[in-house]
Each structure stands twice: as C-alpha cells, then as structure tokens.
Amino acid sequence: MSITQTQSDNTHHISVNGRLDQAQTPRLEATLTSLLDAGRPIIIVDLTETTYINSGGLRCLVSAWRQARQQDGDLVLCGLNERLQEIFSMVGFDKVFAIYPDFEEAITGIKNNEQ
Amino acid sequence: MSKKHFLTTPGRYAEIQRICQFVADGAAQAGLDETAVFNIELACDEASANIIEHAYGGENIGEIQISWHVADDMFVVTLRDNGQQFDPGRVPPPPSSQNPPQADDIDSIKIGGLGIHFMRKMMDEVVFSRDPRHGNKLVMKKRIKVK
C-alpha cells in the first residue's frame, strides 16, 4: 500500500493505493493524525486506488472524521469502488461521511459547503 | 466432502494477509466468483483480527489454525484458537444504512464490533463453539453458486 499526500490551500488530498487492512492502516492513521494535530483540517481521503478495506480501516477513517469535525474541519471521501461502497453502506457509514464520486467533485462539494 | 487444506500461523496482524490469501485461493479454486472470494477474504480477515485482539488479547500469544474444504455446495472455512472464549451475544447490533450511526453519538458507535457483523453479512453461516480440549472453533460457510 502507498499513501500520497498533497495540499492545496487548506485542503489536504490523501490517496490510498492498495489494501487498507490491519497491516497498512497504521500508516494512514499516522498521516491523518499529523494533519489533525496541525488543526482545522479539510481532508479528502481518495479511495480510487483502494482495493480493500476492513473494519480497522473504517475505524481509522471514522476516528479521523470525528476529530476533524471537533476541530471545525472536515474529512470527506471520494472514489469508492462498488465493493467499498457496499461495505460502507452495510454499516451505515455511507450516511456518516460525505462521499463523492471523484476528487474534483469532492473539491466542489467542499467549496459549496463553505459558502 | 473435498480434501481439507490446512494452514497454521502465529497470531500476528502481519500474518492476516497470508491467511486471507490462503482462503481466497481456496475459494477461487472451489469455483466461487470474485465477489464471493472478496467476501470470504473480508470475513476471514475480521475473524483472524478478532482472535488476535479478543481471544488472545494481543499479538504473539498463540496460534491460529485455518482450514478450508468444500462440503456439498458449501465452501467451509474453520478457524481455531486457544484463547479466551468469544461470546457473540455480547456484540451490539450493527448500525446499517437504514439505521445509521448518528453524528452526535458517533462516540458511542461500537466500531470495534464491526468485524463480527461483516462476518455475518458476508457469509451464509457463522457458528462459534468451544470445547475444553481444542479451544475456540469458528465455522463459516459460503454457498457455492453455479455460474
């Protein structure tokens, strides 16, 4: 798995490539924690290249989402394939996160929410 | 019943992908489609993580023994461990799309209990049992649909 991170203005784009499982989730957790520690983050977690997620991966994302919201920031998701969408909806997390089809729509959605 | 295939690994998170691969290869060999293989892989991932986290209470405490075989039209995965007994009745009901977790009470979400819900959703049968001599046994079955 690889994680790439880019920033534009106050928005952080985190792309997760590969499997989000017990072995790899701690790396995503560390990346998100460092952004959250910096304060008031707007984070887009891009799952376009993510092939797999388990409950540990979901736990990591929910925890970061909660912390971002507590700091008046936000964490949104984009690019979920059909299987990932199914996993999110199975436990109602599709109603917790703002989920966009791709990165561009996530940016648009965040800008619309700011207005 | 087909031949049983066995794998024994140390109870470590780093071993879970090997467990998943072992079972996924078996499921593909048994003729299950890609979605079913993915579902079985996720169920075994969650089951293995639960064994390490809850039955053993940490890594490197004990072993996980995994086997798979085909019986009638079912792909059968069995996981055994010698840790603490697991009581599935203590796991709270899962959130769902119809009953999603609320933003205000997200702290109360028992997200640690998601694994067992995935196992039950992904598989056709999930049965936990225990005997004093052989420890915990989890049998999960997935129906093999004719393509």
Side-chain angles (χ1 to χ4, degrees):
Chain A
M1 185 185 84
S2 67
I3 295 173
T4 55
Q5 181 180 343
T6 54
Q7 183 181 357
S8 169
D9 299 327
N10 191 33
T11 303
H12 301 269
H13 179 197
I14 309 294
S15 293
V16 179
N17 193 322
R19 293 170 61 90
L20 202 43
D21 58 15
Q22 268 89 0
Q24 308 294 351
T25 294
R27 291 172 58 195
L28 175 63
E29 203 165 17
T31 303
L32 292 173
T33 300
S34 69
L35 294 178
L36 291 160
D37 286 348
R40 296 196 59 155
I42 303 292
I43 303 170
I44 300 171
V45 179
D46 190 338
L47 301 177
T48 306
E49 300 296 329
T50 307
T51 54
Y52 181 89
I53 191 167
N54 62 12
S55 64
L58 288 177
R59 215 164 23 231
C60 167
L61 290 172
V62 168
S63 171
W65 171 85
R66 185 172 57 216
Q67 289 176 63
R69 297 288 286 243
Q70 283 167 351
Q71 297 175 28
D72 293 328
D74 204 357
L75 183 149
V76 306
L77 307 176
C78 69
L80 281 70
N81 68 27
E82 204 173 306
R83 284 187 185 139
L84 263 60
Q85 281 180 39
E86 191 189 344
I87 290 170
F88 274 76
S89 67
M90 208 174 270
V91 288
F93 284 10
D94 55 333
K95 303 288 194 293
V96 171
F97 292 98
I99 300 177
Y100 298 94
D102 55 39
F103 177 68
E104 285 71 27
E105 293 208 34
I107 289 282
T108 307
I110 286 168
K111 282 183 179 159
N112 288 342
N113 283 343
E114 283 173 349
Q115 286 167 5
Chain B
M1 188 178 87
S2 75
K3 182 188 164 195
K4 266 196 180 184
H5 303 258
F6 290 93
L7 172 72
T8 300
T9 74
R12 283 201 293 268
Y13 292 121
E15 298 289 341
I16 291 180
Q17 193 168 353
R18 188 155 71 102
I19 293 170
C20 290
Q21 193 62 55
F22 169 72
V23 178
D25 287 348
Q29 201 177 312
L32 287 141
D33 65 24
E34 269 185 41
T35 302
V37 172
F38 179 92
N39 291 351
I40 291 168
E41 190 180 347
L42 180 56
C44 289
D45 180 345
E46 301 294 350
S48 305
N50 275 352
I51 289 171
I52 297 167
E53 189 174 344
H54 300 297
Y56 287 130
E59 294 189 279
N60 299 315
I61 308 290
E63 290 184 331
I64 305 173
Q65 187 197 75
I66 308 98
S67 70
W68 67 263
H69 69 278
V70 174
D72 299 323
D73 60 346
M74 290 287 201
F75 182 78
V76 184
V77 186
T78 304
L79 289 97
R80 292 178 181 273
D81 67 81
N82 289 299
Q84 294 286 316
Q85 184 172 11
F86 175 67
D87 178 3
R90 292 179 62 187
V91 177
S96 66
S97 264
Q98 288 71 43
N99 180 29
Q102 300 299 305
D104 289 344
D105 60 19
I106 201 86
D107 274 328
S108 68
I109 296 175
K110 301 291 187 267
I111 46 181
L114 287 180
I116 184 156
H117 302 310
F118 281 138
M119 288 154 59
R120 286 183 170 141
K121 289 272 189 184
M122 296 291 175
M123 304 298 281
D124 292 305
E125 280 183 48
V126 175
V127 178
F128 293 90
S129 62
R130 179 180 177 87
D131 76 64
R133 278 180 52 212
H134 299 106
N136 295 319
K137 179 179 168 187
L138 165 63
V139 179
M140 301 191 288
K141 298 182 183 179
K142 186 81 173 172
R143 192 170 304 284
I144 303 169
K145 291 176 183 154
V146 179
K147 288 177 186 172

